[in-house]
Amino acid sequence: MSEDWLDCIRWTREGLAPVIVQEVNTGQVLMLAWMNREALSRTLALGEAVYWSRSRGRLWRKGETSGHVQKIRDIRLDCDNDALLLKVEQIGEIACHTGRASCFFQRLEHGDWRSTEPVLKEPNGIYGS
Amino acid sequence: MSEDWLDCIRWTREGLAPVIVQEVNTGQVLMLAWMNREALSRTLALGEAVYWSRSRGRLWRKGETSGHVQKIRDIRLDCDNDALLLKVEQIGEIACHTGRASCFFQRLEHGDWRSTEPVLKEPNGIYGS
């Protein structure tokens, strides 16, 4: 397959693009991640999300340790070709390393961030202690 | 009000944070935008979305020309404090400058990006010709 579709994307100077990850069944926004060309290419080939970890400086197959993989259902690009939207089936119903469904669990209330979403599974139970 | 909540955010070197914008009623992801401290502070004060336009290098009140403002319903921060999620009521049901509901209208199909969402209103009708 031609890689023209990868060339359409306006990657940052670092070769990355932000990726919004949304649960296809619930509509919940799960996380914001980053991809480079290789991550997106592998995601398509594998049918499961592979990101670029900026903190670890390496490709990161989502769920490689936790088992909470993300099955790809839809890949979208925005109008100025510099942001991606993945619709995924979130296996295990947990996307966040804190054991919550979504990484966006801090809500602005009365001038402060409050944690609002339940921890579905303790991180020690996900990753080992 | 104290601005401690703004200091919690891990802004980029350029003083920005990516912002996912989701329609609160439909769950549709509308766009990815960017904010600096002032944009977020004004958004909270105004109750309507104000972004930092990287292309124009200035604050940008969403809908200032089109009337398609975004009423703020919820402001969320992710687990590593470097991405925001806004849940908004999208006035006019159009977020994209192309006249579509969402900016994420290009879908990856058989190795190419295909436009999939209907144009609800022609841009000339939104912005003038």
Side-chain angles (χ1 to χ4, degrees):
Chain A
M1 190 164 77
S2 154
E3 291 206 330
D4 291 350
W5 67 281
L6 284 167
D7 294 329
C8 288
I9 299 170
R10 289 171 55 209
W11 305 97
T12 66
R13 261 176 312 190
E14 295 79 23
L16 302 176
V19 183
I20 301 168
V21 188
Q22 183 179 32
E23 222 290 334
V24 69
N25 297 304
T26 66
Q28 189 173 27
V29 174
L30 300 177
M31 52 194 277
L32 183 78
W34 293 80
M35 283 185 178
N36 58 12
R37 287 177 67 100
E38 189 180 355
L40 181 52
S41 187
R42 288 198 186 196
T43 293
L44 186 66
L46 190 64
E48 296 179 1
V50 177
Y51 302 113
W52 176 258
S53 169
R54 296 179 304 165
S55 57
R56 287 173 281 181
R58 67 167 176 87
L59 290 174
W60 155 54
R61 184 171 152 257
K62 173 69 182 167
E64 62 191 7
T65 309
S66 65
H68 297 153
V69 303
Q70 295 175 334
K71 302 276 186 186
I72 306 303
R73 293 288 174 261
D74 200 5
I75 302 179
R76 302 270 183 134
L77 181 63
D78 75 346
C79 55
D80 50 7
N81 296 353
D82 65 1
L84 293 157
L85 170 63
L86 289 189
K87 298 189 188 182
V88 305
E89 182 189 342
Q90 176 63 63
I91 303 301
E93 294 175 17
I94 294 173
C96 186
H97 74 286
T98 65
R100 293 176 175 89
S102 163
C103 293
F104 291 96
F105 59 83
Q106 302 183 94
R107 185 171 195 269
L108 187 60
E109 292 180 7
H110 310 297
D112 208 356
W113 300 103
R114 305 284 168 94
S115 292
T116 54
E117 306 293 329
V119 172
L120 302 178
K121 193 169 178 180
E122 289 298 330
N124 279 352
I126 301 174
Y127 301 100
S129 55
Chain B
M1 190 165 77
S2 155
E3 292 205 332
D4 291 350
W5 66 281
L6 285 168
D7 295 329
C8 288
I9 299 170
R10 290 171 52 209
W11 305 95
T12 66
R13 262 176 312 190
E14 296 79 22
L16 302 175
V19 183
I20 301 168
V21 188
Q22 184 179 31
E23 222 289 335
V24 69
N25 296 304
T26 66
Q28 189 172 28
V29 174
L30 301 177
M31 53 193 279
L32 183 78
W34 292 81
M35 284 186 177
N36 60 11
R37 287 177 67 101
E38 190 180 355
L40 182 52
S41 187
R42 288 199 187 195
T43 293
L44 187 66
L46 190 64
E48 296 179 1
V50 178
Y51 301 113
W52 177 257
S53 169
R54 295 179 305 164
S55 56
R56 288 173 282 182
R58 67 166 177 88
L59 290 175
W60 157 52
R61 184 172 152 258
K62 173 69 183 167
E64 63 190 8
T65 308
S66 64
H68 297 153
V69 304
Q70 296 175 333
K71 303 275 186 187
I72 306 301
R73 293 287 175 262
D74 200 5
I75 301 178
R76 302 271 182 132
L77 181 63
D78 76 345
C79 54
D80 49 6
N81 295 354
D82 65 1
L84 293 158
L85 170 64
L86 289 191
K87 298 188 188 183
V88 305
E89 182 189 344
Q90 176 63 64
I91 303 302
E93 294 176 14
I94 294 173
C96 186
H97 75 286
T98 64
R100 294 176 174 88
S102 163
C103 293
F104 291 95
F105 60 84
Q106 302 183 94
R107 185 171 194 269
L108 187 60
E109 293 180 6
H110 309 298
D112 208 357
W113 300 103
R114 306 283 169 92
S115 292
T116 55
E117 305 293 329
V119 172
L120 302 178
K121 192 169 178 180
E122 289 298 331
N124 279 353
I126 301 175
Y127 300 100
S129 54

